[in-house]
Amino acid sequence: MIITRIVLPALAVMAAGAVVALAQGTQTAPATAEPEHIQVQHCLVSFTGKLPGKNISRSQEEARKLAYDILARAKKGEDFDALVKQHTDDQHPGIYGMANKGVSPAAGEYPRQGMVAAFGDVGFKLKVGDVGIADFDEKASPYGYHVIKRVK
């Protein structure tokens, strides 16, 4: 019980100090904050009826399996650009710069909210060099599966 009596007041004092520091503007943003600008390369794996102007014959399950195969291969170190060139239903090289919400886009960048939602939701969480996937979702990723690598 003595530990509880000592630790809890100490935590309260620390928390109060953090609130004062934040109010005074002396605390920096948490390390988990998303970056303002990123550049990603992606491989779009679509399926029948989901990509306007393209006649894609694979089923949704075939698209999911291919996307996860590409993801696994990329995570093992396979050349991501070569995977994109071979498999994307978008245009190669599929490299896009994005500015985060509330940030003005730099030259050649797109605003995050101007892209498919899942594209930014995955891309901004990745560290440079990491690969992730945006699963098909009617609202957030309506064109299929996006295998995404953060390049900058």
Side-chain angles (χ1 to χ4, degrees), residues 42-120:
H42 85 122
C43 182
L44 172 62
V45 182
S46 193
F47 54 94
T48 302
K50 291 300 169 185
L51 195 57
K54 293 241 181 167
N55 186 17
I56 298 170
S57 61
R58 75 176 68 92
S59 70
Q60 181 177 349
E61 181 58 22
E62 289 169 328
R64 187 192 70 72
K65 286 176 77 175
L66 177 57
Y68 275 89
D69 178 58
I70 293 166
L71 176 67
R73 291 166 63 185
K75 285 187 171 192
K76 288 180 182 173
E78 198 166 323
D79 183 342
F80 191 72
D81 186 62
L83 290 168
V84 173
K85 192 171 192 174
Q86 181 179 1
H87 296 290
T88 194
D89 291 318
D90 194 8
Q91 295 180 0
H92 179 265
I95 296 175
Y96 298 94
M98 285 187 286
N100 211 338
K101 295 174 185 172
V103 178
S104 296
E109 285 186 336
Y110 296 91
R112 178 178 178 167
Q113 55 273 32
M115 304 294 277
V116 171
F119 196 71

Side-chain angles (χ1 to χ4, degrees), residues 14-30:
M14 287 171 38
V19 170
V20 170
L22 285 171
Q24 294 173 346
T26 58
Q27 186 73 19
T28 58

Side-chain angles (χ1 to χ4, degrees), residues 133-144:
I133 193 165
D135 284 322
F136 167 73
D137 178 272
E138 284 291 343
K139 292 183 181 175
S141 185
Y143 303 114

